[in-house]
Amino acid sequence: MSITATLGARTVAKLMIGTIAGLVMCHQPARAAELAAQDIALLDRLTWGVSASSAAHLQEIGTERWLQEQLHPANAALPAAVQKQIEAMPDAHRFPFDIAASFDQQGKSANQVADPEQRKAAQQVYQQAMNDRARQAAARTILRALYAPDQLRERLTWFWFNHFNVHQYKANVRVLVGDYEDRAIRANALGKFRNLLSATLHHPVMLRYLDNADNAAGHLNENYAREIMELHTMGVGSGYTQADVEALARILTGVGIDFKSEDPKLKPELQSQLVREGAFEFNPARHDFGDKTFLGHQIKGRGLAEVDEALDILCRHPATATHIAKQLATYFVSDNPAPALVQQMAQTFQKTDGDIAAVMSTLVHTPEFAASLKGGAKFKDPMLYVMSSVRLAYDTKVVLNTLPIQGWLNRLSEGLFNHETPDGYSMLSAAWNGPGQMMLRFEIARAIGSGSAGLFKPNEPNAVDQPAFPLVMNGLYFSNIKQTLSPTTLAALDQAVSPQDWNTLFLSSPEFMH
Amino acid sequence: MNRRELIKAFAASASLTLAGRVWAAPATDARLLVVFLRGAYDAANVVVPVGSEFYYASRPTLAVARPDAGNPNAALALDAGWGLHPSLRDSIYPLWAKREIAFVPFAGTSDDLSRSHFETQDTIELGQAVGGSRDYRSGFMSRLASELTRVKPISFTDQLPLIFRGQNQIPNIGIASVSKPGVDDRQARLIREMYAKGDLANSVSEGFRVRDDVYKSVSEEMMAANRGAVSPRGFELSARRIGRLMREQFNLGFVDVGGWDTHVNQGAATGYLADRLGELGRGLAGFSEEIGPAMWRDTVVVVISEFGRTFRENGDRGTDHGHGSVYWVMGGGINGGRMAGEQVQVAQATLFQNRDYPVLTDYKAFFAGLIQHVYGLQQASLERIFTGIKPKDLNLV
């Protein structure tokens, strides 16, 4: 008679869980045990989720030095195995303009195929190629979120992308959405807000998404102008009028995109006004050179310099400081951030001319932030939920395929580059804790907890699934996390019949959702 | 949980819903579905003011031609002044002939002029006074549900929308992608236990209950599909599922459809907007088919959007954010086949801010008047749903 038959399958499973736990405990450095619960909460709040190695690092250098390291990251090199995956992606070493121009050409050629059947096939190839680029961009985002040492910058990159949201399925946005994230957003995520706003305005992806590429003198399109004020800077209800929207739209006429190598034909007197930087183009022939009144300022009609003047006005407007401060506080502190906290952050914003790192430094050093780490922490949005699950379960073991993660995010309605409207995903708990959402979370918890879930099978023909198992019950769990669980949760976990089942239940627990 | 507790929990989940009310859903119960077109659909190109010279002058590339039996791209005649977009010929136009649909032109938010999608969607979903501080935990359909007995509300959306947020946990489910649950009954029980004492307890228990109900209903449809039936896609698939679920168990529903923000290349009789409209029309017709003729008589479907678009087309063959819109009210018992509510001639002089349709029927008064008749609600109930609003009777039900 075998042991299994004697003890019953459930008891064996429990023994196995115990054995795994024992093995893990032997290998963990003792110091992880000394971290305060607040430090674990801090890591969950400012990174893509606590892991054994990130906890050990914080323990090693102390909270304040860790914060400085995150606010002013010096060494942000990705682990070699991650860098290798990114380098292997097609087009990793081509200029974004060249890539976009060749896609533009491919799209045009596909449309010109005479035979309807062949045209359809060519268009399909073109669409597939664009989808591939968006998937590669999403893969880079996920790899950085999971493994980049400058975690706060990665959280802010997601935040700012969402703030300056674009949707991948509008026109050919997919081709350059990764470049938009890298060059316009990530590069400025901890810098000056004015630079961030300007970088998004100069990026072809934004100009296409909000239709400013079509905005010209006599053919006004006010879509982008409105969203700049409503979403990107001052915020709705802050005092601007329909006339201000129209004035900004006029200021923005001629700001567009050009993938052609030769310059547009212009009258001689306009030629000096032409500006081209990659695919960005200011075409003076499409600009409204009349004078404008914008937010009470008289703006002399003179070309692209008007845009800079308007951005200065917007960035220095007190409503912008308050709006941005409130958005950051909502994302990092609470659904309803205290007015005092927002005001303090807005003051820093104004004092430092919109220095994002300084505003974040103010945020993390307020008593409101410290208090929020103690009790009633924020409910995780799907992106944080999924990333924190994978980080906890696999820590530094690098996933070889991010497609399952992309799929989970899409199922949870927070897919990367996948929000259709310019307002971005909601940052409020109520958007993510409804009954349907909770059911999906438990399904994802099961997918992540039950095995390698395809994360270690490279996305290439004949690839072999590498051995891997999610280790949620690890040293960090025993030294820190277990003590934060309620008796109800511990009682449920105690009824797990296998390590897979235990993982599923833990990742489904109320504590892990927050 | 011991056996006795388990039995108690089952008994509780089977017989109780909102605020502890006992429900049973008799076959004759009224059903209401609100369809929100997010993105501000261009109402003027759907219910077309074909009697207006100014419309044709304002839309050189976007206008839909006047009714003409010989032209498949022409508007379908509604009455002397109005026509319907031709992409709705086989789905919605027959309902007009049967007097089962009414259109309410010049409808919208009279108190919200922001022309912001997100601000105005919130305004409508909350149904509160504009200008004061907003209570984001109280949507108007949630307040309506609180006033009703025997109500089984549900949101057919991936996330719980503002309109259904409130003191009672209303279930939501993304209806387009229902799949077999992987979390089994034992895990579901353990998970419910973990949440039993916290603030997400209702969300989790409602979630499991609805998950199983919906999966059961959808799996029957999947079996039919496996036997070779052609299964619809997109909104039509969702709308047909909604029809089945509202026939069988839910009686107060909400669904939203995006993609109406047409700043460029909107198209006219054909093109982008026409494609979206065609899909919407097929979905709504599919819904009425699935809910069945008996239930359709007691069903009201309301189609709304946050605002309309600029009356004149812009430089990119599209339209920008406007103000007044056109609401649709459909159902087997609707006093339809007519344009309802206050109207003005469509001309430059009657435009709001020389730009948009004016709002003559405010959404709150409209909804208050409608639900008063559908449910026979007392004034005190209406007052709790839309504070300080006088219901407008458009004689729709």
Side-chain angles (χ1 to χ4, degrees), chain B residues 22 150 158 164 178 191 214 227 241-242 252 306 331 373 376 389:
Chain B
V22 178
R150 294 180 306 187
D158 291 329
F164 258 145
V178 177
I191 291 171
V214 170
R227 286 195 297 269
R241 287 178 172 177
I242 292 169
L252 180 64
E306 64 265 33
H373 283 275
I389 291 301

Side-chain angles (χ1 to χ4, degrees), chain B residues 224-237:
Chain B
N226 286 342
R227 286 195 297 269
V230 179
S231 88
R233 298 163 66 103
F235 180 68
E236 189 183 350
L237 171 68

Side-chain angles (χ1 to χ4, degrees), chain A residues 211 214 219-223 226 230-231 236 242 246 379 411 413 420-423 430-439 442-443 446 488-489 492 495 497 501 504-505 508-510 513, chain B residues 114-119 137 158-159 165 169-172 179 181-183 186-187 189-191 193-195 197 200 203-204 206-208 211 258-259 261 263-264 314-316 320-321 355:
Chain A
D211 303 316
D214 298 307
H219 300 277
L220 218 55
N221 189 312
E222 61 188 42
N223 197 17
R226 180 186 302 280
E230 176 182 335
L231 299 172
V236 73
Q242 176 62 35
E246 284 170 26
F379 187 81
R411 271 187 80 188
S413 309
E420 199 173 321
T421 49
D423 54 336
W432 306 110
N433 66 15
Q437 278 281 326
M438 295 305 292
M439 293 307 109
F442 303 145
E443 292 293 324
R446 186 175 167 278
T488 329
T489 297
Q495 297 180 56
V497 296
D501 193 37
T504 301
L505 293 171
S508 300
S509 69
M513 296 289 170
Chain B
S114 66
R115 293 193 184 90
S116 150
H117 294 300
F118 320 111
E119 183 77 359
R137 304 227 28 107
D158 291 329
Q159 289 159 260
R165 289 197 200 146
Q169 185 65 58
I170 286 166
N172 71 297
S179 53
V183 170
R186 187 189 53 84
Q187 287 172 324
R189 176 178 60 80
L190 291 171
I191 291 171
E193 284 174 18
M194 287 196 280
Y195 284 88
K197 290 187 185 124
L200 294 176
S203 182
V204 169
E206 276 294 286
F208 279 116
R211 177 194 78 159
D261 195 17
H263 288 275
V264 298
N314 67 17
D316 304 317
D320 291 315
H321 298 187
R355 172 185 164 100

Side-chain angles (χ1 to χ4, degrees), chain B residues 60-88:
Chain B
T61 68
L62 294 190
V64 179
R66 288 190 177 83
D68 170 0
N71 177 5
N73 284 335
L76 311 162
L78 293 176
D79 63 17
W82 301 91
L84 189 66
H85 194 282
S87 66
L88 299 173

Side-chain angles (χ1 to χ4, degrees), chain A residues 79-344:
Chain A
V82 177
Q83 190 59 35
K84 209 176 118 202
Q85 277 191 49
I86 291 177
E87 298 276 327
M89 290 177 186
D91 297 339
H93 301 286
R94 288 174 70 196
F95 288 111
F97 176 77
D98 295 341
I99 298 165
S102 71
F103 265 96
D104 193 53
Q105 197 49 52
Q106 189 186 347
K108 281 182 182 143
S109 320
N111 290 337
Q112 281 161 3
V113 175
D115 178 72
E117 284 300 307
Q118 283 176 16
R119 180 166 65 238
K120 212 173 143 195
Q123 283 166 339
Q124 232 161 29
V125 170
Y126 169 63
Q127 293 290 336
Q128 285 294 339
M130 288 205 291
N131 287 343
D132 276 347
R133 292 209 59 85
R135 279 196 288 266
Q136 280 170 39
R140 288 200 296 275
T141 309
I142 290 167
L143 289 170
R144 286 184 190 279
L146 292 174
Y147 310 111
D150 45 345
Q151 281 281 303
L152 179 60
R153 172 151 52 203
E154 291 305 315
R155 285 293 301 271
L156 281 166
T157 299
W158 189 92
F159 170 87
W160 289 124
F161 188 104
N162 198 52
H163 184 83
F164 294 102
N165 186 50
V166 298
H167 184 226
Q168 59 184 349
Y169 292 116
K170 170 104 174 208
N172 55 3
V173 163
R174 281 163 284 173
V175 176
L176 286 186
V177 72
D179 179 64
Y180 176 72
E181 183 187 275
D182 286 337
R183 215 157 39 88
I185 307 280
R186 182 174 287 105
N188 295 297
L190 275 163
K192 293 272 188 176
F193 179 77
R194 172 72 169 77
N195 294 339
L196 179 61
L197 175 64
S198 177
T200 57
L201 184 142
H202 283 84
H203 202 283
V205 153
M206 178 60 83
L207 296 172
R208 174 56 67 221
Y209 174 62
L210 285 177
D211 303 316
N212 206 75
D214 298 307
N215 182 23
H219 300 277
L220 218 55
N221 189 312
E222 61 188 42
N223 197 17
Y224 184 40
R226 180 186 302 280
E227 305 303 8
I228 286 180
M229 282 196 277
E230 176 182 335
L231 299 172
H232 300 167
T233 61
M234 296 168 63
V236 73
S238 56
Y240 60 85
T241 63
Q242 176 62 35
D244 291 320
V245 171
E246 284 170 26
L248 185 56
R250 287 175 61 212
I251 290 167
L252 283 167
T253 48
V255 170
I257 308 171
D258 193 347
F259 289 121
K260 290 189 287 295
S261 52
E262 68 276 16
D263 288 347
K265 289 191 175 60
L266 292 170
K267 291 178 190 156
E269 67 270 24
L270 287 179
Q271 269 162 11
S272 66
Q273 288 259 7
L274 177 72
V275 177
R276 298 192 68 183
E277 294 153 3
F280 173 87
E281 177 180 86
F282 174 72
N283 184 341
R286 294 165 58 82
H287 184 67
D288 174 346
F289 278 90
D291 295 344
K292 292 105 182 167
T293 305
F294 177 57
L295 293 169
H297 296 78
Q298 300 307 311
I299 296 194
K300 188 97 191 97
R302 62 193 189 283
L304 188 56
E306 295 166 47
V307 174
D308 281 327
E309 193 181 348
L311 292 192
D312 284 337
I313 293 167
L314 285 166
C315 289
R316 289 185 187 140
H317 199 290
T320 299
T322 309
H323 180 60
I324 300 299
K326 182 154 187 207
Q327 295 293 96
L328 283 166
T330 305
Y331 185 60
F332 284 108
V333 184
S334 135
D335 281 4
N336 276 308
L341 169 68
V342 174
Q343 201 190 351
Q344 217 180 325

